Amino acid sequence: MKKLINDAHVVVAESVEGFVQAHADLVKSSGNPEELFVSRAGGAVQGKVGLVSGGGSGHEPLHAGFVGKGMLDAAVPGPVFTSPTPDPILAATKAADGGAGVLHIVKNYTGDVLNFETAAELAEAEDILVKAIVVNDDVAVQDSLYTAGRRGVAGTVLVEKIAGAAAERGDDLDGVLAIATRVNDNVRSMGVALTACIVPHAGKPSFDLADDEIEIGIGIHGEPGRKRIKAVSADETTDLLLTPIVEDLGLSGGEKVVLFVNGMGGTPSSELYIVYRRARSQLEAKGVTVERSLVGNYITSLEMQGCSITLLRLDDELTELYDAPVDTPALRWGA
Amino acid sequence: MKKLINDAHVVVAESVEGFVQAHADLVKSSGNPEELFVSRAGGAVQGKVGLVSGGGSGHEPLHAGFVGKGMLDAAVPGPVFTSPTPDPILAATKAADGGAGVLHIVKNYTGDVLNFETAAELAEAEDILVKAIVVNDDVAVQDSLYTAGRRGVAGTVLVEKIAGAAAERGDDLDGVLAIATRVNDNVRSMGVALTACIVPHAGKPSFDLADDEIEIGIGIHGEPGRKRIKAVSADETTDLLLTPIVEDLGLSGGEKVVLFVNGMGGTPSSELYIVYRRARSQLEAKGVTVERSLVGNYITSLEMQGCSITLLRLDDELTELYDAPVDTPALRWGA
Amino acid sequence: MADTLDIAWATDWVKACAAVVAEHRMELIDLDRAIGDGDHGENLDRGFKAVLVKLEAAEPATVGDVLKLVATTLMSTVGGAAGPLYGTAFLRAAKTADGATIDAAGVADLLAAGVEGIVARGKAEVGDKTMVDAWAPAVEAARAAAEAGKTATEALRAAATAARTGAETTDPLVARKGRASYLGERAIGHRDPGAESSAMLLEAAADVAEGGG
Amino acid sequence: MADTLDIAWATDWVKACAAVVAEHRMELIDLDRAIGDGDHGENLDRGFKAVLVKLEAAEPATVGDVLKLVATTLMSTVGGAAGPLYGTAFLRAAKTADGATIDAAGVADLLAAGVEGIVARGKAEVGDKTMVDAWAPAVEAARAAAEAGKTATEALRAAATAARTGAETTDPLVARKGRASYLGERAIGHRDPGAESSAMLLEAAADVAEGGG
Ligand SMILES: Nc1ncnc2c1ncn2[C@@H]1O[C@H](COP(=O)(O)OP(=O)(O)O)[C@@H](O)[C@H]1O
Ligand SMILES: Nc1ncnc2c1ncn2[C@@H]1O[C@H](COP(=O)(O)OP(=O)(O)O)[C@@H](O)[C@H]1O
Ligand SMILES: [Mg+2]
Ligand SMILES: [Mg+2]
Ligand SMILES: [Mg+2]
Ligand SMILES: [Mg+2]
C-alpha cells in the first residue's frame, strides 16, 4: 500500500485540518477531535433550516466539500468508511441549528442510520427539531425485505444541493424535507469499479479484481458489487449502468433529467466524459432531454477506478433549485 | 490495462465530445477532427487579447477545462501526451483572436515549443499578432545547457489564470505577456509519483515502480523522475518536494505565496490535503504567508497516483488578478 | 470456579475484550473485507482501546457500572453498525446488573437484555447472518444452564460455546441485514464478522470467569 | 542496382517507411517509455498512415513532390517533437530533389538538407542523444560514397549502415535535448527512439533502392 499519508489513524484528522486551512474563507472545523465536524465559516444562519450530513470518510469531497452557502451547514466525517458516532453528529446538529430545525441527510447504511437516529434523539432532548431524509438511490441493490434496502450513493450530492437551495430560499423544515424526499424519489444511480480501493487501516484492497475484470453495481465503501464480468468497452459499460437506472426510474420520452457521471476517485476525468457522451446519446435516443450535467469526482471511494451514473428526473422547481447559487469548496456556481 | 475507453485511437475525440456537451454553456468544440480545439461558447471577445494554450491530452482538466471567462479563449488537445500539430493550433489562434493579438501559453517541451512556433509563424502570415510565454516551472529539472530546460508543469494553471485575468482587465498583448512572464518567473513546482500511468496506445505503465518505491521529480507525461526512493511518509515526501522549490524561488520570511497542491489524477483529495497541511506548516515556520490555496486535480497524468506542489510568489497585483472572477468548467469563482 | 460473578470479573472481562479484539483485529477486518467494508476489526479495536482508557479513570461500583461505561464508550467511539448495536447491547445488559454479583440466572438475564437491545436497534432475526446469530443461542444456552442449576461461570461457558457454534452457522447463509445483504448469494461461504466478534467477546467472558483469559 | 533514384523509388520508400514504422510501433513505444513518454512509435505510425492516404490521392511528379507530401503530412499529423523535426527534414530534403532522378551526390545533398532542417529546428549537436546522431553520420557516409563514385543505391546503403551505427552510439550517452535530457545519468544504456526510427527509415530507403523492402 502506497499512500500520501503519515499514519492510518490520523488520516481523517490531518486531512480535515488541511481542508479547513485551505478553505478557511468557506469552512471551519470544530477543532475537537472527539467531536469532529466541519461547518460554515460564518456559523449557523439564523432562521434558516440547518442541513447536516455525514458518514464514513473516504468519499471526498462528500460531505465536507459541500459545506457552504446553498448546500450544507455542517458535515460530520467519520473514520474511513465508518459512520461517525452520535456525539459529533449531535455537536454538528447544534452548530447548524439556526432556530428553524435541522435536516439530517443520511445515506442508507445501517451504521449511518443508527448513529444519526441516536444523535437526533439526543438533539431533540435538547429541544432542537430534527428530521431526516434517508437517501437510497442505488439500483444495484434490490430494495426488499431481504436486504438492508437500497444504498445511498451519488444521489446524495443532488439531495444536498437541492435541499440546500430550498433551505436557502427560506423553506421551513417540512418544506425542505419534502423537497429532499422528492429528489430522493426521483434519483437513481449505479456504479462500476475497475479496481478496488485500499482502506488505510486495512492495508490491502477491499476486494480482488483480475486484470480483465470489472465489478458492476459497486458500492462506495469498497463493498463488492452485484456481479463481476470481463471488462467491456466504455460504451457497453455505460449501457450496463444506465439501463437499470432508466428502467427503475420509469423514464419516458419528453422527460428532463440531470445526468451526473461521478468518478470513484482514481479515474481520469477524460474517461468520465467518454461515459457521459454515451449515456447522453442513449438518453437522447429515448427522447429524454439532458437538461443539466455534472461530471467529476464528487463522491468517491478513495483511489478506486470506476464511475457511477446518476439520473435525476427534473421538474421546473427542482431545476430552479439545482441552478440556485452554491458556494462550497467542491461545488460552486452562480456565487 | 483497464480503462473506461472504447478505442485508444478515439479517446481524445470522444472525451472532448462529451466534455463540450456537458459544458455547452461555457465551451464549444471546433467539430473538425483534423483541427480539434475547444473555445469559448460565445467566441472571441472583440478587443481582448486572446489566450490559447494546448499540448498533449491526458492532463485534464488542463487545458480545455480552463476555457472560459477570465482564463483561456481556446485550448488545443493533442493526442495523449503528444503535442498537437500546428494546424489545430493555428485554427484555435484564429478563433481566439479578437483583434488585439493572441498569447500562446506553451509548456516547455520540445514538441510543444516547435509546434506552437510553427503555428505562430503561420498565424503571423495571416496578420494575427502572436506572442508566446513558455512556462518552465519544474525545479526537478536543472535548467542548463545540458537539458531541454526546465519543464512546464502545474505553474501553467496559474499562468493561465492570472494572464487570463489580465487579458480580461483589458491589458494589451505586451501587458498580458509581461504579467504571464512575471508569474512564470515567480512560480516553481515539483512532483512525486506513487504509481505510473498507462498511456492508452501503449497499454502498459510508463515506468515500473515497486510496491514500496516512489519517484521524486516526476513529469506530467509519465516520464521517469529525478530519483527513485523507498516510500516515506506524506510529511517527508512533502518536504522533499517543498525544499527545492523554496530554495529555487529564494523565498524568505514575510513573503506571500499561493500554495497549490495538485493531484496527478489517481490520488484521493483527502491525501492532497494531508500534503497541503504539511507544506503550509513548513512555510509558516519560515515566516512565509500562505495567502491563497488551491488543492485538487488541475493538471494530471491520466490515473497516476501522486501530487505536485507549486508555489507562486505573490505581489498585490498578482493577488488581485488571481482573485478576479473566473468561470470555466474546472475553475470557477467570483462568477 | 465462582458461583457468581462480581465487578472484578466484569473489569477483567472488559480488559480481555480489548485484548482479544486487538489480537484478532486483522482477522475481523478480513472477514469484513470479504462481505462488508473491511472496518469491523478496526472499529472494535478503536472502541475497546477507548474503553480501557475510560476504565482507568473510572471508579465503577457494580458490574452494571462497568457495562454502562463500556456501552457509552463503544457508542461514542466505534461508529458504523457495530457501535450502536454493541453499545445498546451493553447498555441494556448493564441495567440487569445493578447488584454486587450475578448468578447463572443473572448471566442469562444479562445476555437476554443484550440481544433485545441489538434487535430493538437492528431489527434482525436469527438466520439473517448478523451478530444476533451468535447472541440468540448464547442466551438460550445460558438460560438452560441456569435452569439446570449450573454456576454463573458454567452458564457463561455454555453461552460462549453456543455463540461460537452460532457464529459458525452464519457461514452458509445469505445475509438479510447489514452490508452483506447487498451481496445476495455471494455472501454464502463467509462468516459474519459481527457474529464472529460476538463469539470472541463471550468466549473471553467465560475464559475470565474460569480464571484464564 | 540503379545508378540513380526516381519517383518510383521515392513512392516505394514512403510505403516502406509506413510498413516499417507499423511493424516496429511497439518497439519504438518501448524505447520512448524508457527515457521519454512512450509515444514515439504511435506518433510515427499515425503520421505515416496518414501519408499513405495522402499519397493515394496525390499525383506527384518528382521525388521532391513525394518528399514534400511526406513533410507536410508528418507536420500536420505527428505532433510532439518528432513531427516538426521529421517534417522539416523532409521539407528541406524535398527542395534538393526537384529533378526527375537523383544520383549519389543527390542522395548526399538530400540527406544533408534533411539534417540541416532538424538542427535548424531542434538545435541538437552530434552526441546529444537525438535523431541527429543517426542522420549526421549518414550524411557523411553518403557524401563519401558519392565522392568515391558509387551509385545512388550504394550511397543510400552506406548512409543506412552509418545511421544504424549512429543510432547504436546513442546507447551509452546522457541526453542533452528532448525529454530524455531530464533523466540525466538515468538515460545511459537506453537507445534514443528518434535515432532508432531514423535508422529504420534510412534502412528502408536502401532496401527499396536495392529492390527489396
Ligand atoms: N441490522 C443489524 N442487526 C444486527 N447486526 C447487524 C445489523 N447490521 C449489521 N450488523 C452487524 O454488524 C456487523 C458489521 O459491523 P461493522 O463492520 O463494524 O459496521 P459497518 O457494517 O457499518 O461497517 C455485521 O457483521 C453484523 O454482525
Ligand atoms: N532538440 C531535438 N533535436 C533533435 N531531435 C530531437 C530533439 N528533441 C527530441 N528529439 C528527437 O525526438 C524523439 C522523440 O520523439 P517523440 O517521442 O515523437 O516526441 P516527444 O518527445 O514530444 O514525445 C527523440 O527520441 C529524439 O530523437
Ligand atoms: Mg463501515
Ligand atoms: Mg510525446
Ligand atoms: Mg464494516
Ligand atoms: Mg515521445
Side-chain angles (χ1 to χ4, degrees):
Chain A
M1 173 183 68
K2 273 184 291 187
K3 287 181 182 287
L4 288 168
I5 63 175
N6 292 306
D7 171 347
H9 288 98
V10 295
V11 161
V12 173
E14 292 189 348
S15 176
V16 169
E17 190 180 328
F19 174 78
V20 297
Q21 287 171 337
H23 303 287
D25 51 330
L26 296 172
V27 295
K28 63 184 178 195
S29 121
S30 63
N32 175 356
E34 315 267 284
E35 293 180 357
L36 185 65
F37 66 88
V38 171
S39 57
R40 294 194 191 181
V45 182
Q46 287 311 309
K48 185 184 86 67
V49 170
L51 262 66
V52 175
S53 193
S57 290
H59 309 302
E60 291 70 28
L62 189 88
H63 298 272
F66 302 131
V67 172
K69 194 159 184 312
M71 222 160 158
L72 299 180
D73 294 273
V76 191
V80 176
F81 289 175
T82 300
S83 164
T85 65
D87 307 9
I89 303 175
L90 173 62
T93 303
K94 290 188 205 168
D97 183 34
V102 173
L103 182 70
H104 282 176
I105 301 178
V106 185
K107 303 193 292 306
N108 188 33
Y109 298 96
T110 309
D112 290 278
V113 171
L114 293 178
N115 287 289
F116 270 91
E117 262 174 25
T118 305
E121 268 180 52
L122 296 170
E124 274 163 20
E126 304 195 25
D127 287 327
I128 302 177
L129 196 62
V130 176
K131 305 225 163 169
I133 171 84
V134 177
V135 183
N136 62 344
D137 57 317
D138 187 355
V139 300
V141 171
Q142 301 304 316
D143 186 10
S144 80
L145 279 177
Y146 305 110
T147 65
R150 287 197 317 236
R151 299 176 288 213
V153 289
T156 312
V157 177
L158 302 180
V159 172
E160 293 179 1
K161 167 67 189 82
I162 292 174
E168 217 74 54
R169 170 174 81 175
D171 291 14
D172 65 12
L173 183 55
D174 283 327
V176 177
L177 175 61
I179 289 286
T181 306
R182 195 151 100 223
V183 174
N184 188 49
D185 288 347
N186 287 285
V187 71
R188 297 289 187 283
S189 303
M190 187 150 154
V192 61
L194 275 60
T195 61
C197 57
I198 300 184
V199 179
H201 63 247
K204 19 186 175 175
S206 48
F207 51 87
D208 300 302
L209 266 182
D211 250 9
D212 61 347
E213 285 178 343
I214 59 175
E215 183 98 17
I216 300 281
I218 192 74
I220 53 167
H221 300 89
E223 313 99 310
R226 193 195 253 193
K227 62 179 177 184
R228 188 166 293 190
I229 60 168
K230 291 277 164 213
V232 291
S233 73
D235 285 357
E236 289 169 274
T237 308
T238 303
D239 295 352
L240 287 172
L241 302 182
L242 192 67
T243 306
I245 295 171
V246 169
E247 279 173 12
D248 202 290
L249 263 184
L251 265 190
S252 47
E255 296 199 279
K256 295 173 181 173
V257 295
V258 177
L259 169 54
F260 171 21
V261 177
N262 174 64
M264 301 308 295
T267 286
S269 70
S270 51
E271 297 182 19
L272 301 181
Y273 286 109
I274 292 177
V275 169
Y276 172 89
R277 168 185 174 274
R278 172 66 173 194
R280 182 176 178 122
S281 92
Q282 294 289 75
L283 289 168
E284 286 174 349
K286 287 194 170 52
V288 173
T289 306
V290 175
E291 191 80 1
R292 296 290 180 273
S293 304
L294 191 63
V295 183
N297 291 325
Y298 293 102
I299 164 169
T300 61
S301 228
L302 296 167
E303 72 282 359
M304 180 181 282
Q305 287 180 25
C307 72
S308 63
I309 298 180
T310 297
L311 294 184
L312 167 64
R313 178 191 277 117
L314 282 173
D315 55 44
D316 289 347
E317 187 183 19
L318 294 186
T319 308
E320 196 185 308
L321 291 168
Y322 181 86
D323 288 345
V326 57
D327 191 12
T328 71
L331 203 67
R332 189 166 353 205
W333 58 66
Chain B
M1 174 185 66
K2 274 183 291 187
K3 288 180 180 287
L4 287 168
I5 63 174
N6 292 306
D7 171 346
H9 288 97
V10 295
V11 161
V12 173
E14 291 189 348
S15 177
V16 169
E17 190 181 326
F19 174 80
V20 296
Q21 287 171 338
H23 304 286
D25 50 331
L26 296 171
V27 296
K28 63 185 179 192
S29 122
S30 64
N32 176 357
E34 317 266 283
E35 294 180 357
L36 186 64
F37 67 88
V38 171
S39 57
R40 294 194 193 182
V45 182
Q46 286 312 310
K48 185 185 86 66
V49 170
L51 262 67
V52 174
S53 191
S57 291
H59 309 302
E60 291 69 30
L62 188 91
H63 297 275
F66 302 131
V67 172
K69 194 158 184 317
M71 224 162 154
L72 300 180
D73 293 275
V76 192
V80 175
F81 290 176
T82 300
S83 165
T85 65
D87 305 9
I89 303 174
L90 173 62
T93 303
K94 291 189 204 167
D97 183 35
V102 173
L103 181 70
H104 281 177
I105 301 178
V106 185
K107 301 191 295 304
N108 189 31
Y109 298 96
T110 310
D112 289 279
V113 170
L114 293 178
N115 286 289
F116 269 90
E117 260 174 28
T118 305
E121 267 180 52
L122 296 170
E124 273 162 20
E126 302 195 24
D127 287 325
I128 302 178
L129 197 60
V130 176
K131 305 227 161 166
I133 170 83
V134 177
V135 183
N136 62 344
D137 57 319
D138 188 355
V139 299
V141 170
Q142 303 301 322
D143 187 10
S144 79
L145 278 177
Y146 304 109
T147 65
R150 288 199 315 238
R151 298 176 290 212
V153 289
T156 313
V157 176
L158 302 180
V159 173
E160 294 180 359
K161 167 67 189 82
I162 293 175
E168 217 73 53
R169 168 174 84 174
D171 291 14
D172 65 11
L173 184 55
D174 283 326
V176 176
L177 175 61
I179 289 285
T181 305
R182 196 152 99 224
V183 175
N184 188 50
D185 287 347
N186 287 285
V187 72
R188 299 288 187 282
S189 305
M190 187 152 156
V192 60
L194 276 61
T195 62
C197 56
I198 301 183
V199 180
H201 63 247
K204 21 188 173 174
S206 48
F207 51 86
D208 300 302
L209 264 183
D211 249 8
D212 61 346
E213 285 178 344
I214 60 176
E215 184 98 16
I216 300 280
I218 192 74
I220 52 167
H221 300 90
E223 312 99 312
R226 191 195 255 194
K227 62 179 175 181
R228 185 167 298 190
I229 61 167
K230 292 277 165 211
V232 291
S233 72
D235 284 357
E236 290 169 273
T237 308
T238 303
D239 294 352
L240 287 172
L241 303 182
L242 193 67
T243 307
I245 295 171
V246 169
E247 279 172 11
D248 202 291
L249 262 184
L251 264 191
S252 47
E255 295 199 283
K256 295 173 182 173
V257 296
V258 177
L259 169 54
F260 171 20
V261 177
N262 174 62
M264 301 307 293
T267 286
S269 70
S270 50
E271 297 181 21
L272 302 180
Y273 286 109
I274 292 177
V275 170
Y276 171 88
R277 169 185 173 276
R278 173 68 173 192
R280 183 178 179 121
S281 90
Q282 294 289 76
L283 289 167
E284 286 174 350
K286 287 194 168 57
V288 173
T289 305
V290 175
E291 190 81 2
R292 296 290 181 271
S293 304
L294 191 62
V295 182
N297 290 325
Y298 292 103
I299 165 170
T300 61
S301 229
L302 295 169
E303 71 284 355
M304 181 181 281
Q305 286 178 26
C307 71
S308 62
I309 297 179
T310 297
L311 294 183
L312 167 64
R313 178 190 277 115
L314 282 174
D315 56 42
D316 289 347
E317 187 183 19
L318 293 187
T319 307
E320 193 185 310
L321 291 168
Y322 181 86
D323 287 345
V326 57
D327 191 12
T328 71
L331 205 67
R332 186 167 355 201
W333 58 67
Chain C
M1 220 182 276
D3 259 19
T4 59
L5 301 166
D6 58 11
I7 189 167
W9 163 77
T11 318
D12 288 348
W13 177 31
V14 171
K15 291 180 186 160
C17 288
V20 78
V21 159
E23 187 190 342
H24 296 283
R25 176 179 166 279
M26 200 35 97
E27 184 185 330
L28 293 172
I29 283 178
D30 283 341
L31 290 180
D32 199 30
R33 276 174 65 228
I35 58 170
D37 59 352
D39 58 1
H40 189 58
E42 174 72 11
N43 295 346
L44 289 186
D45 190 35
R46 180 175 59 244
F48 276 102
K49 283 208 162 69
V51 168
L52 286 188
V53 173
K54 285 272 167 76
L55 195 62
E56 198 70 33
E59 292 184 5
T62 62
V63 172
D65 288 350
V66 174
L67 300 185
K68 188 165 176 216
L69 180 148
V70 174
T72 54
T73 311
L74 293 185
M75 201 87 94
S76 31
T77 56
V78 174
L85 293 173
Y86 271 124
T88 309
F90 276 94
L91 200 62
R92 300 263 182 122
K95 288 189 185 149
T96 72
D98 50 3
T101 62
I102 49 178
D103 58 10
V107 167
D109 291 347
L110 185 152
L111 295 178
V115 72
E116 275 157 28
I118 295 172
V119 171
R121 300 300 310 268
K123 315 266 177 329
E125 294 170 14
V126 170
D128 282 355
K129 195 169 184 137
T130 70
M131 52 173 71
V132 171
D133 293 345
W135 283 77
V139 173
E140 279 173 41
R143 183 74 65 206
E147 282 167 7
K150 300 287 172 72
T151 64
T153 300
E154 285 163 346
L156 259 190
R157 174 56 64 197
T161 308
R164 164 63 46 214
T165 312
E168 285 164 5
T169 63
T170 65
D171 294 7
L173 298 177
V174 168
R176 286 197 285 241
K177 289 283 180 237
R179 254 169 234 293
S181 71
Y182 309 139
L183 284 180
E185 308 272 306
R186 292 170 70 182
I188 290 175
H190 297 279
R191 173 138 333 151
D192 176 63
E196 177 64 27
S197 63
S198 297
M200 287 174 177
L201 298 188
L202 293 179
E203 282 170 346
D207 289 349
V208 166
E210 289 165 5
Chain D
M1 225 181 276
D3 261 20
T4 60
L5 300 166
D6 59 11
I7 187 168
W9 163 78
T11 318
D12 288 346
W13 177 32
V14 171
K15 290 179 187 162
C17 288
V20 79
V21 160
E23 188 189 344
H24 297 282
R25 175 179 167 279
M26 198 38 92
E27 184 184 331
L28 294 171
I29 283 179
D30 283 341
L31 290 178
D32 199 30
R33 275 174 64 229
I35 58 170
D37 59 351
D39 60 359
H40 189 58
E42 173 72 13
N43 294 346
L44 289 186
D45 189 36
R46 181 176 56 244
F48 276 103
K49 283 207 162 71
V51 169
L52 288 187
V53 173
K54 286 272 168 75
L55 195 62
E56 197 70 31
E59 290 184 4
T62 64
V63 171
D65 288 349
V66 174
L67 299 185
K68 183 158 180 229
L69 180 147
V70 173
T72 54
T73 310
L74 293 186
M75 201 88 94
S76 32
T77 57
V78 173
L85 294 172
Y86 271 125
T88 309
F90 276 93
L91 200 63
R92 300 264 181 119
K95 289 189 186 149
T96 71
D98 50 2
T101 62
I102 48 178
D103 58 12
V107 167
D109 292 346
L110 184 152
L111 295 178
V115 74
E116 276 157 27
I118 294 171
V119 171
R121 299 301 308 269
K123 317 268 179 321
E125 294 169 14
V126 171
D128 283 355
K129 194 170 185 134
T130 70
M131 52 174 70
V132 170
D133 292 345
W135 283 78
V139 172
E140 280 174 40
R143 184 73 66 207
E147 281 166 6
K150 301 285 171 73
T151 65
T153 300
E154 286 163 345
L156 258 191
R157 174 56 64 196
T161 307
R164 165 61 47 210
T165 312
E168 285 162 6
T169 64
T170 66
D171 295 5
L173 297 178
V174 167
R176 286 197 284 244
K177 289 282 181 235
R179 255 170 234 289
S181 70
Y182 310 139
L183 284 181
E185 308 272 303
R186 291 171 71 183
I188 290 174
H190 296 279
R191 173 138 334 152
D192 176 63
E196 177 64 29
S197 64
S198 297
M200 286 176 178
L201 299 188
L202 293 180
E203 283 170 344
D207 290 348
V208 166
E210 289 165 4

